[in-house]
Amino acid sequence: MEIAKATPLADNFYLGLPFCIPTVPSHCGFCLFPTQDYKGNSGMQTYLEYLEREAELYAPFLANDRLSSMYVGGGTPNLLKAEDYGRLTAIAEKLYGKIPDDVERTIEGIPQLFSKDKVDAIRAAGFNRVSMGVQQMSDKLIKYSGRRQTHRQVMDALDHFNAAKLAVNVDLIYGWPEQTVADMLRDLGELVDQGVRHITHYQLNIAGRSDFSKAQRELLPSLETTIDMYKESCAFLRSKGYRQATVYDWEKVESMPGRFESPNADRYQYEQNLRDFLHADDQSVTETRNMIGLGYAGVSFPFTWPVQGGPNWSQMNLRNLDAYFQSIDAGKLPVEKQFLYNKEDLKLAWLFQSMQSMTIDLHNYAVAFGADLLHDYAPIFDELHKRSWIEIDAKQVRFIGLGEFFIPMIQALFSYARLNEMRGGLKQIVEGKKIINILETA
Ligand code: SF4
């Protein structure tokens, strides 16, 4: 496919490692990501070889792109042995050339696998940031997830990161089974005291096949308590000098002496790129920030931008590991499905990302889409305004009060009409097939 490249393309480059330690309940009780049970290092080695081969297939498509940030997620990437982290940064360097020092390179993992040796190997391989999925600090509450992690391991890992001069993000979940507001504030307080400068504090997502959703619902805090948790956590983190970058991202610009002092340790470039993927100045979109995801279930958004007329699409790699391997053996990109965006879809994708930061830049929208946001979605903005969930001035729409908490639902509201239209389309296809069948048998 010919890709229009009049606007420079900067890539968020993602590598996915699918393996996780099995838990009871499965998938840590809450996780909805596609993963595979870890069965040992030989499976990991096979997978790494295929990941390297997939990158070779991608090379011609990325030849003119610039690496803006790199992120290794999963799954549980710190299941890798110390000697293998360099293979991940080598994949990025093969595609993009030598990586400048200031490019953010993040790797995710779970606390109990961040041993000192491994953390040092991660640093030596060129990573400058880690994202640790802690979720709960309490040894009692973490048990609901079946994870075998301890509070001590969380604290030790933070010390290893600090000694290795790695910037760090810690993920915590609120709305966890049996969690109280006091539990939540204690966890946040411990991270603040440790000098952690980026905290992702997000609400438990109760959905689908997860054990928390199906079997532990009665243990979850009520909606009222969860709203209280959101409000209390915001007040607490603000009082400690943190800035709210999104509904769930908290950044501390000032470092504590001797703790996480590396430049930009508060910043999260990968997330920032996602939120600002059509980066505009006063006149035009100056850079398109793409998402290129390799590996099992990797997701890509190789957007151009609307004025160039596209194509703009999203795609997801195969979620069947054998099929992923077979596709690469056949010399084909291991893509499971693609969705081609029309202009309305691109607007919705941009709005979805903007809303994450609780503001929508009216000028940026006008520059990117040649349209007036408030006019395009007038009935929704009227309703949000009536409820005092937004403030509007000449430059931006800002979500306030309960409007912040309900952003995920407001995002669904914006896409509701388009989703129904597409579902109608699917129904029409099914109806159409029925008609063809009837005609054929008549
Ligand atoms: S370790 Fe992380 S990716 Fe794996 S199942 Fe648990 S939450 Fe999901």
Side-chain angles (χ1 to χ4, degrees):
M1 185 179 279
E2 184 63 28
I3 301 174
K5 288 201 171 178
T7 305
L9 301 179
D11 292 344
N12 256 357
F13 181 62
Y14 177 92
L15 291 175
L17 300 183
F19 303 107
C20 288
I21 299 170
T23 54
V24 180
S26 69
H27 296 88
C28 298
F30 63 87
C31 180
L32 297 171
F33 287 111
T35 59
Q36 298 280 314
D37 283 353
Y38 180 67
K39 293 183 180 144
N41 191 41
S42 76
M44 184 69 97
Q45 292 301 317
T46 304
Y47 179 78
L48 279 178
E49 283 159 27
Y50 276 90
L51 196 58
E52 286 160 347
R53 287 168 59 192
E54 185 191 359
E56 283 166 23
L57 295 175
Y58 264 93
F61 298 99
L62 305 178
N64 298 318
D65 292 13
R66 173 176 76 78
L67 180 68
S68 182
S69 81
M70 173 179 179
Y71 194 100
V72 181
T76 307
N78 65 339
L79 278 165
L80 280 178
K81 304 278 180 211
E83 59 271 23
D84 287 325
Y85 293 96
R87 290 174 72 176
L88 301 172
T89 38
I91 290 175
E93 293 207 319
K94 264 198 178 156
L95 290 171
Y96 296 98
K98 182 157 171 38
I99 305 174
D101 285 347
D102 61 349
V103 169
E104 182 182 278
R105 280 148 282 169
T106 306
I107 188 161
E108 277 182 354
I110 55 173
Q112 62 269 43
L113 296 177
F114 278 123
S115 62
K116 170 132 183 49
D117 288 354
K118 224 179 245 192
V119 169
D120 289 344
I122 285 169
R123 187 71 176 115
F127 289 93
N128 49 20
R129 187 170 178 280
V130 282
S131 181
M132 179 161 65
V134 171
Q135 320 311 354
Q136 293 296 311
M137 303 281 281
S138 148
D139 286 346
K140 176 171 164 260
L141 292 184
I142 197 68
K143 289 207 171 99
Y144 286 105
S145 68
R147 282 193 183 191
R148 300 200 174 163
Q149 89 186 33
T150 64
H151 178 273
R152 182 72 260 155
Q153 288 164 331
V154 174
M155 294 307 204
D156 287 347
L158 289 174
D159 284 343
H160 301 330
F161 301 148
N162 188 45
K165 301 202 181 327
L166 283 159
V168 62
N169 164 67
V170 172
D171 286 350
L172 285 182
I173 292 178
Y174 68 93
W176 190 265
E178 300 232 296
Q179 189 187 28
T180 63
V181 173
D183 293 327
M184 176 197 76
L185 291 176
R186 186 202 52 235
D187 284 6
L188 287 172
E190 286 198 86
L191 294 184
V192 170
D193 291 346
Q194 288 294 314
V196 173
R197 291 172 61 194
H198 194 283
I199 300 172
T200 304
H201 191 234
Y202 61 105
Q203 189 189 347
L204 180 70
N205 182 9
I206 315 287
R209 63 184 160 91
S210 77
D211 186 76
F212 284 9
S213 164
K214 290 198 307 205
Q216 304 201 48
R217 258 182 199 255
E218 72 284 1
L219 298 178
L220 301 176
S222 65
L223 176 64
E224 289 73 21
T225 306
T226 312
I227 291 174
D228 268 357
M229 286 177 155
Y230 175 73
K231 288 182 182 163
E232 294 274 346
S233 61
C234 290
F236 176 76
L237 288 168
R238 272 194 200 108
S239 76
K240 298 293 177 185
Y242 286 74
R243 187 186 79 86
Q244 188 172 17
T246 72
V247 185
Y248 45 80
D249 280 300
W250 291 86
E251 305 172 343
K252 181 130 196 256
V253 177
E254 296 295 321
S255 63
M256 193 187 272
R259 297 294 283 179
F260 304 109
E261 290 176 308
S262 55
N264 300 324
D266 60 316
R267 203 185 57 175
Y268 195 172
Q269 187 63 45
Y270 177 82
E271 274 273 314
Q272 172 63 29
N273 286 349
L274 289 178
R275 295 199 297 270
D276 188 22
F277 70 83
L278 298 176
H279 184 68
D281 65 12
D282 283 353
Q283 305 297 327
S284 62
V285 173
T286 53
E287 188 173 70
T288 305
R289 291 162 180 172
N290 283 339
M291 172 86 198
I292 303 294
L294 270 58
Y296 166 92
V299 173
S300 298
F301 302 99
F303 292 142
T304 60
W305 62 295
V307 181
Q308 285 176 309
N312 299 291
W313 76 97
S314 60
Q315 66 187 41
M316 183 183 222
N317 270 0
L318 287 153
R319 287 167 293 172
N320 174 312
L321 198 53
D322 287 336
Y324 171 80
F325 292 157
Q326 283 158 14
S327 179
I328 293 168
D329 281 338
K332 291 198 309 197
L333 294 179
V335 175
E336 180 175 308
K337 52 188 170 185
Q338 288 180 312
F339 178 80
L340 194 60
Y341 285 58
N342 65 22
K343 193 166 174 181
E344 178 64 18
D345 298 326
L346 194 63
K347 279 182 185 175
L348 287 170
W350 184 89
L351 269 177
F352 183 96
Q353 291 298 344
S354 289
M355 276 189 257
Q356 298 291 93
S357 60
M358 303 180 299
T359 57
I360 309 172
D361 186 314
L362 296 172
H363 176 71
N364 201 339
Y365 183 88
V367 167
F369 300 106
D372 177 353
L373 175 75
L374 298 176
H375 177 265
D376 279 357
Y377 300 95
I380 297 179
F381 284 119
D382 285 349
E383 189 57 38
L384 297 177
H385 203 248
K386 253 190 254 162
R387 289 168 187 255
S388 301
W389 286 3
I390 53 170
E391 282 174 350
I392 303 173
D393 63 26
K395 288 190 174 157
Q396 61 182 23
V397 176
R398 200 161 67 82
F399 288 80
I400 53 170
L402 275 183
E404 292 174 7
F405 180 82
F406 284 121
I407 278 177
M409 267 169 258
I410 296 168
Q411 287 166 326
L413 185 63
F414 273 90
S415 57
Y416 184 77
R418 176 68 179 132
L419 277 175
N420 267 351
E421 188 188 352
M422 286 193 289
R423 286 190 186 118
L426 287 178
K427 206 168 136 220
Q428 279 154 15
I429 291 168
V430 174
E431 291 301 314
K433 279 186 182 157
K434 274 191 207 155
I435 291 168
I436 289 167
N437 287 343
I438 292 166
L439 287 175
E440 281 175 351
T441 52

